[in-house]
Amino acid sequence: MYGYQKKKQATPFKHLGSNDLKCEMACQANEEIEIRENEYNLQRRIEIRVAASESERSDELLQRKSKCSMQIEIGILVSERGEENGGSEEEEEPVASEKTEMQMAESNLVLLDFWPSSYGMRVKIALAEKGVSYECKQEDFQAKSSLLLEMNPVHQMIPVLIRNGKPICESLNIVEFIDEAWNHKPSLLPSDPYKRSQARFWGDYIDKNVYSIGKRVWTGKGKEQELGKKQFIECLKILEEELGDKPYFGGENFGYVDVALVPFTSWFYTYETCGNLSIEAECPKLVAWAKRCMEKDSVAKSLPHPHKIYDFAMQYKQSHGLE
Amino acid sequence: MGKSELKLIAKWSSPYVMRVRIALNIKSLEYEHFEETLNPKSDLLLESNPVYAKVPVLIHHGKPICESLVIVEYIDETWSSGPSILPSDAYDRAVARFWASYIDQKWFPSMKSIITVVEEEERKPYFEVMEEVVEKVEGALEECSKRKPFFGGDRIGFLDIAFGSFLGWLSVIEHVYGRKLLIEEKAPKLVKWAERFAADPAVKGLIPETDKLVEISKSLQIKWRAAISKK
C-alpha cells in the first residue's frame, strides 16, 4: 500500500488502495500535500493540490471552509505493467460517494423551516441534492422561536440556515450559498457566467411573481381572484416558454431555477381547486416538468403531498376569515 | 475589450443603471452607452428585456442581461481578473446579497411612495421605514466593513454599489420634504461612508445633481399618481 508524506501538519488521509482510489477532502489554506508511493514498481504519482481562501480547523473530522475552491488533479501514469486504470490525466472532483464524510462533518447545521413554505422546500431540496444532513426545526408563526428572532432579526421569516451558529437568510441566497459551500457535484448553478446570470434572473422573476400572484388565486374572491388567475397563468406561461423543450430549466440537469420553482408545484392542487382552473390544460409542458422533477429523490422527499398543502390552505383561510 | 462588444441601455436618473456603470468602471471596461427615452420605449429595450422592459440592460456580444444586481454579478464573474466586486468568502457573499436584497425590497419602494402620496400624514409610515433601513444598514456597515472604509473592505464592493446608487435620490427626498435621513446622530458611519463613496474614482460624476433629479421627480410624481388613480 502507499504511505504518505506530509509537508505540514494536516488532517490524516486515507490509505490509497491500488485499485480503489479515493480522495478525502481537506480544505487547508495554501497547503500542498504530496503523496508518494513507497512501492516504486507501480510508479503512480498522485498530486493533490488544495487551494482555499480561508481555513478552519476542526478536531477529528473533515475540515470545511465556508468557501472552498478546490482543484484536485489526479494524474495517473500508466505503469509498465499496465494498470487496469490506464494512463490518462484525469481531473476528478469529489462526488456523491464522499457524502458520508460530509454528513458526519455537518453536525452543526440547522434549518429553521415551516413545512408548507415553498421557500423552505427550496433549501431542503438543495441540501438533499448535495447529500448534506442537517437538523430541521419547525417554526410556529404564532409563537416565533427566540432562535428565529435572533438569527433573522430583520425579517423574522423562514427559511434560515444556521451553520456553526452563523445564519444565512433568504431562500435563493441560501441555495446559492449551499452550492458554493458544498461545491461538489451536482452543481446547482452553471459555471458559465452568462448562464448563471440567466439562472439568477429567472430565480428573481419567480421570487417577484409566483407567490404574490398565486396568493390572489387561493385567497382572493370575485374580480380580484379572476384577475389573479389571469396573471398567474400568464406568469406560468412565461416560465413555460423559458423552459421550452429542455428537460429542466437548468438544461440537461436539474438546477437553480428548477429548485426555485418546483416547490410551488406542491401548491398547484390548491391553486386549481380554489381558483377552479386547470394548470395542466394551460401549461402542459410545465406540469410534465413538475412530474419529471418529482422523480428525483431530493424533490420527492422535500415536497409535502399537495392534499396536505390544501388542508393547510383551508385552515389558513378559515382562521384568517378568508372563506 | 472593444466598445462594440458591450452596450448598456441606460437612463441618467436611474439608480439601478448607476449600479451597473459603477461596476463597469471598477473593471475599467469600455462600453457603448445607449440613453433610453422610456417614452416610448425603444425597440432595443423591448427586444432585450421582453419580461420587464426596464433599464438597465447590459448587452454583451449581443446577449442581454437584465436586473441591476444580476448584471453586477455577471460583470464581476466575467471580468474576474479586475478588482473583485463581491467578497471572496461564500458566507460574506451571502451576507452582502442579503443586505442588497433588503435594500431593494424596502428603500426604493418607500421613496416612491413618499413622492407619490399626497398627504403629509400618509408619508409618515414610509419615512419610518426609511429611518429603519438607515439604522439597519448602519449595523450592516459595521458588520461587513470589519472596520475598513467600505462595505466591501478597502475598496467599494457589491453592497456599497447597491446602497450608494441611491444617494442621489436620497438627497431629493431630504431636499423636497425637508427631512434628513442620513444624519450624524443616527448613522455616523454611514455619513462618512457616503462621502468616501461619492469621492471614489469609480463613482465620481455618476451621482446626478440633486436639482436635476428634483425636476424629474415632479414628472414621475404625476405619472405615479395617475397610475394609482387608474386602478
Side-chain angles (χ1 to χ4, degrees), chain A residues 73-86:
Chain A
E73 292 169 11
I74 301 170
I76 302 171
L77 305 171
V78 183
S79 77
E80 296 203 1
R81 287 189 187 180
E83 271 301 309
E84 65 183 59
N85 282 343

Side-chain angles (χ1 to χ4, degrees), chain A residues 66-67 167 173 180 196 208, chain B residues 64 67 77 88-89 91 93-94:
Chain A
S66 48
K67 182 196 174 175
N173 203 14
E180 292 173 2
R196 289 162 77 86
K208 282 181 166 121
Chain B
E67 293 299 292
E77 291 176 354
S88 50
D89 173 73
Y91 184 77
R93 277 202 293 279

Side-chain angles (χ1 to χ4, degrees), chain B residues 120-135:
Chain B
E120 187 67 39
E121 274 305 302
E122 288 178 280
R123 274 190 202 109
K124 273 191 181 166
Y126 299 113
F127 273 114
E128 279 167 22
V129 171
M130 287 188 79
E131 281 171 354
E132 193 190 325
V133 171
V134 168
E135 188 192 319

Side-chain angles (χ1 to χ4, degrees), chain A residues 196-209, chain B residues 8-9 14-21 23 45 48-59 64-75 101 104-105 158:
Chain A
R196 289 162 77 86
S197 76
Q198 298 310 291
R200 288 183 181 126
F201 173 85
W202 287 107
D204 178 67
Y205 175 84
I206 292 162
D207 266 358
K208 282 181 166 121
N209 291 284
Chain B
L8 176 66
I9 309 180
S14 163
Y16 301 104
V17 169
M18 192 177 145
R19 288 168 166 181
V20 178
R21 293 179 74 184
L45 179 62
S48 350
N49 192 354
V51 177
Y52 299 117
K54 282 184 178 175
V55 292
V57 181
L58 185 72
I59 305 173
I65 306 108
C66 310
E67 293 299 292
S68 60
L69 295 179
V70 173
I71 301 172
V72 170
E73 290 215 47
Y74 173 78
I75 290 168
S101 159
D104 271 358
Q105 281 172 40
F158 189 71

Side-chain angles (χ1 to χ4, degrees), chain A residues 2-99:
Chain A
Y2 304 111
Y4 58 90
Q5 205 171 331
K6 291 180 281 188
K7 270 193 176 178
K8 295 180 191 174
Q9 196 68 36
T11 49
F13 273 67
K14 274 186 181 173
H15 277 301
L16 299 162
S18 52
N19 293 325
D20 184 16
L21 200 68
K22 279 188 184 179
C23 301
E24 277 218 28
M25 280 204 299
C27 302
Q28 296 173 1
N30 302 317
E31 187 159 348
E32 198 172 322
I33 299 161
E34 266 186 351
I35 298 173
R36 294 188 184 149
E37 79 274 33
N38 287 332
E39 297 173 27
Y40 295 104
N41 59 349
L42 287 182
Q43 292 184 355
R44 275 201 188 174
R45 191 176 182 207
I46 301 155
E47 284 178 20
I48 300 175
R49 223 178 278 132
V50 177
S53 59
E54 238 187 44
S55 67
E56 276 174 11
R57 291 190 180 263
S58 67
D59 301 331
E60 302 163 334
L61 301 172
L62 295 175
Q63 297 177 0
R64 189 74 44 81
K65 286 179 287 300
S66 48
K67 182 196 174 175
C68 189
S69 74
M70 294 182 52
Q71 295 166 354
I72 299 178
E73 292 169 11
I74 301 170
I76 302 171
L77 305 171
V78 183
S79 77
E80 296 203 1
R81 287 189 187 180
E83 271 301 309
E84 65 183 59
N85 282 343
S88 58
E89 292 235 333
E90 287 173 61
E91 197 166 325
E92 224 176 81
E93 280 176 8
V95 290
S97 56
E98 278 82 39
K99 275 181 200 172

Side-chain angles (χ1 to χ4, degrees), chain A residues 7-8 17 55 57 68 70 100 127 131 155 160 187 216 221 236 249 253 263 266 274 289:
Chain A
K7 270 193 176 178
K8 295 180 191 174
S55 67
R57 291 190 180 263
C68 189
M70 294 182 52
T100 27
L127 289 166
H155 298 299
V160 181
S187 290
R216 280 185 258 152
K221 282 183 233 176
L236 291 185
F249 283 91
N253 299 311
S266 65
C274 294
W289 160 82

Side-chain angles (χ1 to χ4, degrees), chain B residues 8-94:
Chain B
L8 176 66
I9 309 180
K11 188 99 185 110
W12 66 271
S13 52
S14 163
Y16 301 104
V17 169
M18 192 177 145
R19 288 168 166 181
V20 178
R21 293 179 74 184
I22 296 171
L24 291 164
N25 285 350
I26 288 173
K27 302 285 188 180
S28 306
L29 295 169
E30 281 187 9
Y31 59 95
E32 187 191 329
H33 178 121
F34 180 88
E35 186 69 16
E36 174 66 40
T37 50
L38 283 178
N39 196 17
K41 293 186 177 178
S42 70
D43 286 342
L44 181 66
L45 179 62
L46 296 173
E47 272 166 31
S48 350
N49 192 354
V51 177
Y52 299 117
K54 282 184 178 175
V55 292
V57 181
L58 185 72
I59 305 173
H60 186 206
H61 291 305
K63 298 196 283 191
I65 306 108
C66 310
E67 293 299 292
S68 60
L69 295 179
V70 173
I71 301 172
V72 170
E73 290 215 47
Y74 173 78
I75 290 168
D76 198 32
E77 291 176 354
T78 306
W79 290 276
S80 51
S81 56
S84 285
I85 297 175
L86 269 104
S88 50
D89 173 73
Y91 184 77
D92 291 341
R93 277 202 293 279

